Amino acid sequence: MTRHTLFAAASFLLMAGSSLAAPGTVLDLVEPIADYKIYVSEKLDKLVEDTEAFTAAVKAGDVDKAKSLFAPTRLSYEAIEPIAELFSDLDASIDSRADDYEKQEQDPAFPGFHRIEYGLWEKGSTKDLDPVADQLLADVKALRERITDLALPPEKVVGGAAVLMEEVAATKISGEEDRYSHTDLWDFKGNFDGADKIFQLVRPLVEKQDPAFVQKVAGNFATIETTLAKYKEGDGYQSYDKLTDDDRNVLSAAVNTLAEDLSTLRGKLGLD
């Protein structure tokens, strides 16, 4: 789908379907929403490509290669998580955790990235993971297909910036999400990038009415980026279990401040 087609579709759907914003705001949001749809489409293409390589390594029984691909593959998913979560069935199949199942890790219904993560790190094996890998790849392809034809609700897009940082505060800081691999900082980076993309797209609109707010949020993003950079290791990030309680507290404070500010974006654009 070309950018022109996306722009036209976004314009029509925003004008026809958004009852939350004033007409002027709706028109202003047409281009940012179209640009965001392109961003999401690119992330989905990358997710499918990376998941193909990741699941191929799992099915080949190459534990080391699969481990090396696990965190980078998840980056694209984490960046667009608020949109992926519009499809709760696929989100659960792709990204649910053992806690969501009666028998936890031993439950045959436990699927997706984290079931494979458990096998790779806790068991050091790809045994019985072929069907899980096949389903994961089918699910990310289905997600791409569904989102391709999805009209992105502007309130979900703008609100997604706060949702992404709240996700970090809720599940990344504690280390509960990637509990076997301790690759939480990669997920954190994906959430951070996704939130920053949304903010940058609507920034010119918000800046017109509240430049001080924009400068504050930009400063908070910069603080988190600088903090996250401290934990770079090679092409990725160090294991999250190496961070001290003080390290986590610094991250938590910065993330919560940013999430709180981003939660007001919808209101500033008349989308509440």
Side-chain angles (χ1 to χ4, degrees), residues 98-259:
D99 303 343
D100 300 319
Y101 300 89
E102 183 180 358
K103 298 179 181 178
Q104 298 194 345
E105 287 88 353
Q106 308 313 313
D107 199 312
F110 177 32
F113 276 118
H114 295 301
R115 172 63 184 90
I116 295 174
E117 178 197 7
Y118 171 72
L120 293 175
W121 272 271
E122 293 297 307
K123 298 296 184 180
S125 170
T126 61
K127 183 184 178 185
D128 300 326
L129 291 182
D130 279 17
V132 183
D134 287 339
Q135 188 60 54
L136 176 61
L137 181 56
D139 287 338
V140 298
K141 287 181 176 180
L143 182 67
R144 179 173 64 177
E145 183 67 24
R146 289 195 202 177
I147 292 179
T148 295
D149 298 321
L150 177 69
L152 299 184
E155 66 275 11
K156 290 291 186 182
V157 173
V158 176
V163 168
L164 283 162
M165 298 318 296
E166 288 162 1
E167 172 79 8
V168 174
T171 65
K172 269 67 170 183
I173 296 296
S174 66
E176 69 178 80
E177 177 143 5
D178 297 318
R179 64 190 67 173
Y180 319 113
S181 63
H182 305 298
T183 54
D184 303 84
L185 288 171
W186 288 81
D187 283 8
F188 186 116
K189 174 63 172 170
N191 289 158
F192 174 85
D193 287 348
D196 187 49
K197 180 65 177 182
I198 295 168
F199 173 66
Q200 294 302 333
L201 287 173
V202 301
R203 177 174 179 165
L205 303 181
V206 181
E207 204 154 24
K208 292 177 183 178
Q209 56 176 295
D210 197 343
F213 169 81
V214 167
Q215 288 304 311
K216 180 185 178 187
V217 172
N220 289 337
F221 269 113
T223 296
I224 293 177
E225 187 169 27
T226 299
T227 303
L228 195 57
K230 290 168 49 180
Y231 308 113
K232 286 284 289 181
E233 191 173 84
D235 293 330
Y237 294 91
Q238 65 181 250
S239 180
Y240 192 63
D241 58 350
K242 293 182 181 178
L243 272 65
T244 66
D245 287 342
D246 285 344
D247 290 330
R248 297 187 187 201
N249 288 337
V250 168
L251 278 170
S252 179
V255 166
N256 280 300
T257 297
L258 182 56

Side-chain angles (χ1 to χ4, degrees), residues 17-147:
S18 179
S19 60
L20 295 173
T25 303
V26 170
L27 287 172
D28 289 340
L29 283 168
V30 167
E31 187 167 3
I33 297 297
D35 285 342
Y36 185 68
K37 184 66 181 286
I38 292 171
Y39 172 79
V40 170
S41 296
E42 291 171 347
K43 288 296 181 184
L44 286 166
D45 286 343
K46 179 65 172 167
L47 175 64
V48 169
E49 177 187 342
D50 290 347
T51 303
E52 286 175 338
F54 172 61
T55 55
V58 171
K59 295 185 69 173
D62 193 334
V63 172
D64 289 340
K65 184 174 182 180
K67 281 184 173 182
S68 73
L69 294 175
F70 173 76
T73 298
R74 287 177 53 76
L75 270 175
S76 297
Y77 189 83
E78 293 294 325
I80 60 166
E81 199 162 15
I83 304 303
E85 288 175 349
L86 293 174
F87 302 100
S88 58
D89 59 329
L90 290 178
D91 180 55
S93 188
I94 292 168
D95 201 37
S96 58
R97 296 187 287 279
D99 303 343
D100 300 319
Y101 300 89
E102 183 180 358
K103 298 179 181 178
Q104 298 194 345
E105 287 88 353
Q106 308 313 313
D107 199 312
F110 177 32
F113 276 118
H114 295 301
R115 172 63 184 90
I116 295 174
E117 178 197 7
Y118 171 72
L120 293 175
W121 272 271
E122 293 297 307
K123 298 296 184 180
S125 170
T126 61
K127 183 184 178 185
D128 300 326
L129 291 182
D130 279 17
V132 183
D134 287 339
Q135 188 60 54
L136 176 61
L137 181 56
D139 287 338
V140 298
K141 287 181 176 180
L143 182 67
R144 179 173 64 177
E145 183 67 24
R146 289 195 202 177
I147 292 179

